[in-house]
Amino acid sequence: MGEAEEEEEAVVIEELSPGDSKGDGGQVSAFQRSRDKSKEYSYYHGQTDSKPLPADAVIRQEDPLKRADGLGPKKLETAAEVDLDKVVWVEDFAYSDEGANVKVYVDFPESIKDGAVDCKFDRFSVILIVRLPQGGRMYGLKIKEREGWILEQERSGGFAFEIVPEKSKYRVSSSGQKITVTVAKKDAQESWSELKKKDIRQSI
């Protein structure tokens, strides 16, 4: 038996433009038939004439990819960094356990109503800094655990128990001389007999 050579059937893909027509006479082109039948689902939908942009359209002047350098997220530029050595830290304050929250009451020696307040909560800490306008003083509240702890028995200096940072907040009083910091407990059933956690190694 002789080997029969099979002829491969060639497939031709023909690119059509809106003016092309198939066949003779006034037959409608495949381009137009597809558009008439399938509308926006047509294979050729992307080849339609572009529509003019609205009058209020905003066109980017800069390629946003220029900012992508592959080095990961960048820290946003913020106001001038605080010189912590110039902050007057408030050491005397009161607190109350109010069930799901703990409130810390901080009194200042002068009105801070017009000051800029920065407050950052973490799992066991809060750092609040008030900057008075026109180069005035900076006051602060700092309740923060010591660095480097790993086990719970090594932790000291921060809040007695873990808090929920995203649910915690502060409020400046109408007099402008007091700030109330409301700390949301992670476990609302915990009773805070102390505001800060002590180093248990000091009591051994």
Side-chain angles (χ1 to χ4, degrees):
M1 180 183 297
E3 295 184 359
E5 295 184 359
E6 297 183 358
E7 294 184 0
E8 296 185 359
E9 185 175 324
V11 177
V12 178
I13 300 177
E14 181 180 0
E15 295 290 339
L16 297 176
S17 64
D20 293 338
S21 62
K22 295 290 291 181
D24 299 326
Q27 293 184 354
V28 180
S29 68
F31 176 93
Q32 191 61 46
R33 284 202 307 272
S34 177
R35 287 190 56 193
D36 292 343
K37 179 180 179 181
S38 303
K39 306 297 182 185
E40 68 270 22
Y41 301 105
S42 168
Y43 174 80
Y44 301 104
H45 180 65
Q47 300 181 24
T48 57
D49 295 334
S50 59
K51 297 181 180 180
L53 295 174
D56 58 348
V58 178
I59 301 176
R60 289 178 181 266
Q61 300 298 324
E62 178 186 0
D63 183 357
L65 293 179
K66 288 182 179 179
R67 302 182 183 181
D69 56 10
L71 299 179
K74 301 290 186 301
K75 181 179 179 181
L76 296 176
E77 294 183 3
T78 57
E81 294 293 333
V82 175
D83 186 351
L84 297 181
D85 292 334
K86 295 182 179 180
V87 177
V88 179
W89 298 104
V90 178
E91 301 292 345
D92 297 325
F93 42 82
Y95 85 98
S96 62
D97 186 339
E98 301 191 1
N101 300 313
V102 171
K103 290 190 175 182
V104 183
Y105 308 98
V106 188
D107 289 297
F108 298 90
E110 60 181 306
S111 176
I112 50 92
K113 184 183 296 185
D114 297 326
V117 181
D118 294 320
C119 187
K120 180 181 178 182
F121 295 96
D122 211 334
R123 291 171 56 208
F124 298 100
S125 66
V126 61
I127 298 179
L128 181 146
I129 295 177
V130 182
R131 310 184 202 190
L132 296 184
Q134 299 178 353
R137 286 191 173 188
M138 290 189 293
Y139 294 100
L141 166 71
K142 180 166 65 174
I143 300 176
K144 183 173 175 58
E145 73 275 26
R146 73 180 185 87
E147 301 291 341
W149 67 276
I150 299 177
L151 303 177
E152 174 62 21
Q153 58 265 31
E154 298 174 335
R155 185 177 68 81
S156 64
F159 286 122
F161 300 98
E162 187 171 354
I163 69 170
V164 183
E166 57 270 20
K167 292 184 179 180
S168 301
K169 56 189 178 181
Y170 71 90
R171 182 179 66 84
V172 180
S173 67
S174 57
S175 66
Q177 284 197 250
K178 177 183 290 186
I179 286 183
T180 301
V181 179
T182 302
V183 177
K185 298 178 181 179
K186 183 175 182 181
D187 183 352
Q189 303 303 317
E190 288 174 330
S191 177
W192 289 39
S193 58
E194 294 179 331
L195 181 63
K196 297 181 182 180
K197 183 179 181 184
K198 296 180 179 179
D199 188 347
I200 62 174
R201 295 176 299 182
Q202 295 178 354
S203 58
I204 297 178

